[in-house]
Amino acid sequence: MASPLSKKKNLQARWKQLVKKISSDQPINLTETEQDKEARKARARADYGFFVTYYFPHYAKDKAGNVTECAPFHIKEANEVLKNPMFKGIWEWFRGSAKSTNADIFLPMWLKIQEPRQLNVMMLIGKNNKTATRLLQDIQGELAANPRFLNDFGQQIKDGSWEQGEFQTNDGCAFVALGMGEPPRGTRFGSHRPDFIVCDDLDDDKMKKNPSRIREAVEWLERAVLGTGDTGIGRFLFVNNRIAKNGILATLVAIKPHWHHSKVNALQEDGTPNWKRYTREFYAALLKDVGWKAFQTEWQNDPQEDAGVFEHEQIKWEKIPSWEKLDSIVMYGDMSYSTSKKSDFTSIPAWAKWGNRLVKLKVYHRQGQTLRKAIEWWFEFYISLPAPIKSKFRCYVEANATQKLLLKTEIDLACKKYGIVNFIKYDTDRKGDKNDRIGSMTSAYENGDTVVYNIDEKEDPDMIASIEQLTGWEEGAAHDDGPDADQSAWQKLQKLGRLSGRTGQRSGKFQKNTSRGF
């Protein structure tokens, strides 16, 4: 563990590098007229995108020297903060979205140059004092050494330092760092109390595992921090990506519906990046490196957490022999009839019996897709199979009376489009309690080698998504379509008379099955 002295030296070395970076590569036109300078300052006050690009080229440029302009969401949300002196809001932005850079540096400096000035005392809150001090160092570096900013708005630093946890500027503004949980009461500089409070990345991997600490943090924000603000101007901004289903950010979003809430994921629904700084290819490579679970959590604000019933370690991958050698195969469809962002998933897994084992061969597992696209995918997959394998397939789709009418329309259209007869049977059977049925699969997964997955599908996005839904399942889970479809396929395999043993279906409340038979 590093000593306090070595940590201080590290911060001092970082400060020197920071100042050097800021003060270099910012040419200034020394021959411009005062009129030109004033016109630029006026534009900077009105145009956040221009303000960032002109005064912070060291942030706007990539390693190749190309300038990346602010994303539309950067500009929109900065203006939302500016236009409301009593703004209270949350930026739920993806990892790499420059949320901290905008909230901790660009935005407060933009508020500071407004006429009339929109910032007097900024309180910058980090998950601990060290983190907050480092964040304070970043904005002091700009105010101390940014050539373009100093040329237009004059020398800034009056006294204090990030090392002391606070500093003041010549125009009477103050900036103070605070660690989460530290007492903010009584913070005042002259006649001003904090009027721009930023909480930066308070959720972390340790915090999300401790519900009591999350409750304490939210209570601290409500009782101590929010009451610290000034009258007249009192902006509060919480910035984080959603790394936990029930973390501080998620709790604030739930209990403060009247606050402004900006949610921006790395990718739009069609796969388009939300910021031109990144490309589809970049995110495709990143997904391959970090895995679907981490990508959804860090970049898509969709935290994936094991619920403790089914675990990632229970997913066993194997090379499957020719499908002709498998005993029997069932493909079961649990369809969604909505295309909204919060709709159920359509899940169509193909499961096989292979001796005494169950094999997940392939799956269609998607949210927000039309019923027609799902049916057409199913038909195209089935048509692509060789005749000897087709003969082993039995296909079913869950359907009550209303669903059957919708399905029949789409299936008839698909039959006409592809020129084949319908191979999908409507399953109208009553199945019993869904939680019990899904929970009954635990013993098979716990057996170690009873359930295996087709290794050829290990990198398939649908297969990955279905596994994440399985390992995130618990009673009352928001989405359980994948596990439900899996269990239904298992049940059909059993009814085909190909499986020995039983699925363990029970009535009553689900309890984890500790037996070893399937």
Side-chain angles (χ1 to χ4, degrees), residues 454-474:
N454 180 8
I455 198 168
D456 292 338
E457 298 291 305
K458 190 173 185 179
E459 302 299 327
D460 178 67
D462 293 55
M463 182 67 82
I464 293 169
S466 73
I467 291 171
E468 295 304 329
Q469 195 173 94
L470 175 72
T471 57
W473 178 82
E474 58 185 343

Side-chain angles (χ1 to χ4, degrees), residues 331 375-390 393 395 414-421 423:
M331 205 162 191
I375 294 294
E376 288 182 348
W377 177 92
W378 199 344
F379 268 68
E380 289 171 4
F381 171 73
Y382 183 79
I383 291 168
S384 71
L385 298 171
I389 297 177
K390 274 196 187 82
F393 264 78
C395 297
C415 288
K416 184 176 180 180
K417 178 178 179 178
Y418 297 103
I420 63 173
V421 297
F423 56 90

Side-chain angles (χ1 to χ4, degrees), residues 82-138:
L82 175 63
K83 73 182 184 182
N84 183 1
M86 298 302 292
F87 177 91
K88 302 293 185 292
I90 299 164
W91 286 357
E92 182 182 338
W93 295 358
F94 63 93
R95 185 172 178 175
S97 62
K99 53 186 177 292
S100 296
T101 307
N102 278 271
D104 304 348
I105 302 173
F106 301 162
L107 183 54
M109 291 178 67
W110 193 51
L111 294 173
K112 185 177 183 296
I113 66 169
Q114 298 298 317
E115 294 181 336
R117 193 174 70 210
Q118 292 295 303
L119 182 147
N120 295 294
V121 180
M122 178 183 184
M123 180 180 286
L124 189 48
I125 300 175
K127 63 184 177 181
N128 53 49
N129 187 267
K130 179 185 175 183
T131 302
T133 300
R134 181 168 175 164
L135 296 172
L136 189 69
Q137 187 185 75
D138 290 335

